[in-house]
């Protein structure tokens, strides 16, 4: 057990030293919102206050724009959220990042989503990751390459390996 604790601590330290490192969350924190609320550039530029753990109310309509889609989130504890997103962005990733609903790291395959609705999952530390689907089927491309299709449903599900 001490070896496991030591290796997790070392992993957390190594990740914190790296640029854009994922935050380390112990297993008992899986699927719980982090203490930092997602913040969009729009909220910062308009001076809107964001509260810690601020998750939009289930069923909310979010954003503005000509296109709309359903965004669903399934947390590790089974809690589900459903939103209607309005946007002028061309990709689902750009729309969700713009609204502060997702965060991640840029990698060789595009945006690797680590945080959804303020909940950070770390596959390396606890085996959980965010699985992306479109209309109930695993997405064939990353969220930042996934085009917005009006009326479609895009979902992130906390998934254990």
């Amino acid at each position: 057990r001490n070896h496991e604790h030591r290796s997790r601590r070392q992993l957390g330290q190594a990740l914190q030293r790296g640029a854009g490192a994922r935050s380390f969350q112990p297993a008992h924190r899986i699927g719980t919102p982090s203490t930092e609320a997602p913040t969009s550039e729009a909220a910062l530029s308009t001076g809107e206050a964001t509260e810690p753990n601020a998750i939009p109310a289930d069923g909310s309509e979010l954003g503005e724009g000509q296109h709309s889609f359903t965004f669903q989130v399934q947390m590790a504890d089974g809690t589900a959220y459903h939103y209607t997103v309005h946007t002028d962005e061309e990709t689902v990733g750009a729309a969700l990042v713009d609204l502060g609903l997702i965060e991640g790291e840029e990698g060789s395959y595009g945006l690797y989503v680590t945080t959804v609705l303020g909940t950070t999952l770390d596959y390396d530390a606890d085996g959980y990751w965010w699985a992306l689907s479109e209309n109930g089927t695993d997405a064939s491309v990353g969220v930042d390459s996934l085009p917005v299709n009006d009326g479609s449903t895009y979902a992130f599900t906390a998934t254990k390996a």
Side-chain angles (χ1 to χ4, degrees), residues 111-129:
L111 182 67
Y112 175 70
V113 175
T114 56
T115 304
V116 177
L117 300 182
T119 299
T120 299
L121 302 180
D122 187 340
Y123 181 84
D124 295 331
D126 51 42
Y128 277 87
W129 56 284

Side-chain angles (χ1 to χ4, degrees), residues 23 28 34 41 89 121-122 126 144 159:
S23 62
H28 69 278
S34 70
E41 288 182 17
E89 296 289 349
L121 302 180
D122 187 340
D126 51 42
D144 54 346
T159 304

Side-chain angles (χ1 to χ4, degrees), residues 9-82:
R9 183 170 30 123
Q10 290 168 342
L11 175 62
Q13 291 169 346
L15 289 173
Q16 289 174 358
R17 284 193 299 265
R22 289 179 246 162
S23 62
F24 173 74
Q25 298 226 351
H28 69 278
R29 296 271 322 233
I30 295 170
T32 58
S34 70
T35 57
E36 295 181 21
T39 304
S40 68
E41 288 182 17
L44 293 174
S45 66
T46 60
E48 293 176 26
T50 57
E51 300 174 20
N53 298 326
I55 295 178
D58 188 38
S60 296
E61 297 211 10
L62 307 172
E64 297 178 2
Q66 297 178 25
H67 305 289
S68 66
F69 61 87
T70 300
F71 176 55
Q72 299 177 343
V73 178
Q74 180 85 31
M75 299 293 189
D77 67 2
T79 305
Y81 298 93
H82 305 81

Side-chain angles (χ1 to χ4, degrees), residues 131-145:
L132 173 63
S133 64
E134 177 181 13
N135 298 320
T137 303
D138 290 342
S140 59
V141 297
V143 70
D144 54 346
S145 297

